[in-house]
Structure formats: C-alpha cells, structure tokens
Amino acid sequence: MIELKKISKSYQIGQNKLEVLKSLDLSIAQGEFVSIMGPSGSGKSTLLNIMGILDDYDAGEYILSDTLIKNLSQKKAAYYRNQFLGFVFQSFNLLHFKNAMENVALPLYYQKVNRKKRNEIALEYLDRVGLKDWAEHTPSEMSGGQQQRVAIARALIGKPKVIFADEPTGALDTQTSNEVMDLFKEVNKEGITIIIVTHEDEISEMTDRVIRLRDGVIESYGY
Ligand code: ADP
C-alpha cells in the first residue's frame, strides 16, 4: 500500500542544511494498524506529511497504491489525497460555525454532492461513530472525544484506504483516548490502513506495529 524507498528530505536554514529524513525505507501493507513514535524533532511530522501528500521530498520514491507520488501538481496531489487518504488531527480541525453533520459532510461538498444527499450520508457516518443524536450540535457544544469522533467520521466519508492521525489523542483524557482508539480499531477491522503518530506508549501499545524514528532514520520497524 505504502512504499517509501530511500526517501530524503532536508531544510535549508540559513547557511546550514538540516537533514530531517535520511534515506528512509518503509513499507506499510494495506490493512495494517501502525504507530510511529520518536522524540520531538525526529522527523515524524515530516514523514507523515510526505505520506499524506501534503509535502514533497528531495530524493527517493514514494509509491502509494501502485502510484508514484513525486513532484505532483497541487491538483494531482489533491486528487490522490481525496481518492486514497483521510486525516485526523490532535486539535480536531472542525469548523466551529458548522454543526456535526455539516462538518462530516464537508468532503462531499468538495466533491459537489448536493446538500440533501451529502447530509444524508453524513448522518450515516455520524451514526457509525455513535453520534447521530448530535448531528445538529456545533463542536463547541461537544466534548473533546465527541469532536474527535466527528473528525473520524469526516475522514471516513471519503472512503479512504489509509487514515493518517497526528497525535489524535493528544488533547484527550485516558478514557476518551481509549474510546477513540477502539473506534480506530473497528475502522481498521474493515480493512482501512491506520497510521498514528503518537508519543504515548499506552497509545502505541494498542496498535499492531510500532515504527520508531530517531534523527531521521528508522530505528525499529516493529517486527
Ligand atoms: P517531529 O514531528 O518528530 O517532532 P518534525 O518532522 O516536525 O519532527 O521536524 C523534524 C526537524 O525538522 C526539526 O528539527 C524541525 O525543526 C525541522 N523542520 C520541520 N519543518 C521545518 C520547516 N518547514 N523548515 C525548517 N525546519 C523544519
């Protein structure tokens, strides 16, 4: 599903070149449930941004679902993101002036699905994350855990093959974190690949494979 071959990425900072990812090789198969761990500054976000086609890389090859992802135009990158990927963030990234149903429906708005249809589908996805009764509520009326479930429903509505989650439980208490992880587990059972960046051992222990990064190299592949 995901194949990184000798991926390198550096940033130019003044006179200095900071090598953030150093000829990194990594394979993640369809249906895996993995976490990526590593100290702050080890390159986790950079790696996630490359795999999520949010950022480009300097050298190597990234193959996503048999497609070479390299030097894509903004339009092509957006196309592959919509086609294959879903995103969940630590801070939920919901629109505060929209209710839960409208937030979940948002990706379908960009696909030009009409309002009635997209709200109908959004309700199905809200139901799936246990929040059908909260459809009319705005994010500020919901708990952190509920907001994250709305965000997961929004990620699922595009029928992604892979979901990338960057510290998805970072803003949640332990019990709520466990509930969110249980939901990821259920989603994964349906065959969707899940890749979670976390610095919490309790979270990575709930995934099937832990990939450890240090100073831009993979220290351990988790198998
Ligand atoms: P992590 O997510 O593991 O904390 P990051 O991928 O965010 O690590 O960052 C890795 C290194 O790259 C850090 O030293 C960070 O300061 C640097 N870095 C990240 N993004 C940029 C950027 N846009 N410009 C310059 N340096 C960056």
Side-chain angles (χ1 to χ4, degrees), residues 27-34 188 192-195 208-209 223:
S27 296
I28 297 171
Q30 178 68 44
E32 278 201 81
F33 186 20
V34 308
N188 173 250
I192 298 177
T193 310
I194 303 210
I195 301 174
D208 297 335
R209 177 182 168 199
Y223 51 63

Side-chain angles (χ1 to χ4, degrees), residues 167-223:
E167 299 275 5
T169 59
L172 305 176
D173 61 52
T174 307
Q175 195 197 327
T176 313
S177 295
N178 290 343
E179 287 166 17
V180 164
M181 288 304 288
D182 285 343
L183 180 56
F184 276 128
K185 224 177 265 181
E186 269 175 47
V187 168
N188 173 250
K189 278 204 187 108
E190 291 163 28
I192 298 177
T193 310
I194 303 210
I195 301 174
I196 294 179
V197 166
T198 181
H199 63 268
E200 298 170 86
D201 288 319
E202 301 78 34
I203 297 300
S204 67
E205 280 162 10
M206 289 184 236
T207 67
D208 297 335
R209 177 182 168 199
V210 185
I211 295 161
R212 289 178 197 278
L213 262 186
R214 183 177 290 273
D215 294 331
V217 296
I218 292 178
E219 192 177 51
S220 149
Y221 283 92
Y223 51 63

